[in-house]
Amino acid sequence: MYNLDALNEYQQVAIQSKVNNSTPHSLVSMLLQGVLDKLAKATGAIQRNDIAERGQTISESIRIIDNLRASLDIPNGGTIASGLASLYDYMERRLVEANSKSDVLIVEEVVTLINEIKSAWDTISTQQAS
C-alpha cells in the first residue's frame, strides 16, 4: 500500500511539473492525450463489465473535453472554434450514451474523433517549430 501511495504521489508531482513548464499549445495536446488515456481505460472497464470504473473514466473524459471546449476562443476563433465547440458537445453526448449503454463502439467513435483533432493539433506544433 505504501509503495502505491508513493508512486501516485510521484506521478502527481511529475504531472504538475510538466504542466507548469508547458506552453498553452502543449497543454491542449496533453489534455487531448489525457482524454485518449481515459477512454482506453473506459474501454477496458466496459469489456470487464466494471461499472464503477466505466462511469468514473467516462466522467473524467467528459470533464476533460468540457475543459477543452471552455478554452476555445469563440469570438476570435471563427468557424474553427465554433466547429470544435459543436464537436466537443457531440462527443460529450455520445460518451453519456456510451456510459448508459455500456457501448465500446461509441467510445471508439469518440477516440477516432479525438485522434483526428490531436493529429491536426500536433501538426500545428510541428509547423510552428519549423
Side-chain angles (χ1 to χ4, degrees):
M1 179 76 164
Y2 174 74
N3 289 336
L4 184 58
D5 290 340
L7 177 62
N8 287 336
E9 183 66 26
Y10 174 78
Q11 288 173 335
Q12 290 302 315
V13 169
I15 290 169
Q16 188 63 43
S17 176
K18 191 173 182 181
V19 167
N20 289 340
N21 296 316
S22 295
T23 65
H25 189 274
S26 61
L27 287 173
V28 170
S29 187
M30 288 182 350
L31 288 171
L32 291 167
Q33 185 59 52
V35 172
L36 292 172
D37 294 345
K38 295 295 181 187
L39 292 177
K41 289 180 180 180
T43 298
I46 291 170
Q47 292 168 340
R48 291 187 312 277
N49 199 28
D50 185 337
I51 297 168
E53 185 176 352
R54 179 191 76 209
Q56 179 181 351
T57 54
I58 288 178
S59 293
E60 290 168 351
S61 300
I62 292 169
R63 194 172 20 246
I64 294 169
I65 292 170
D66 195 49
N67 284 318
L68 285 164
R69 183 180 43 210
S71 72
L72 293 171
D73 185 358
I74 302 292
N76 295 316
T79 57
I80 292 174
S82 295
L84 280 171
S86 295
L87 187 57
Y88 289 148
D89 180 63
Y90 171 78
M91 287 188 277
E92 289 177 353
R93 286 184 282 117
R94 291 296 283 163
L95 288 174
V96 168
E97 183 179 359
N99 192 29
S100 68
K101 294 181 176 179
S102 196
D103 191 330
V104 172
L105 293 177
I106 297 173
V107 174
E108 289 174 1
E109 174 192 0
V110 175
V111 166
T112 299
L113 294 170
I114 292 291
N115 273 323
E116 290 178 19
I117 294 169
K118 187 170 183 339
S119 176
W121 192 256
D122 290 346
T123 300
I124 293 168
S125 178
T126 303
Q127 291 173 353
Q128 287 178 345
S130 302

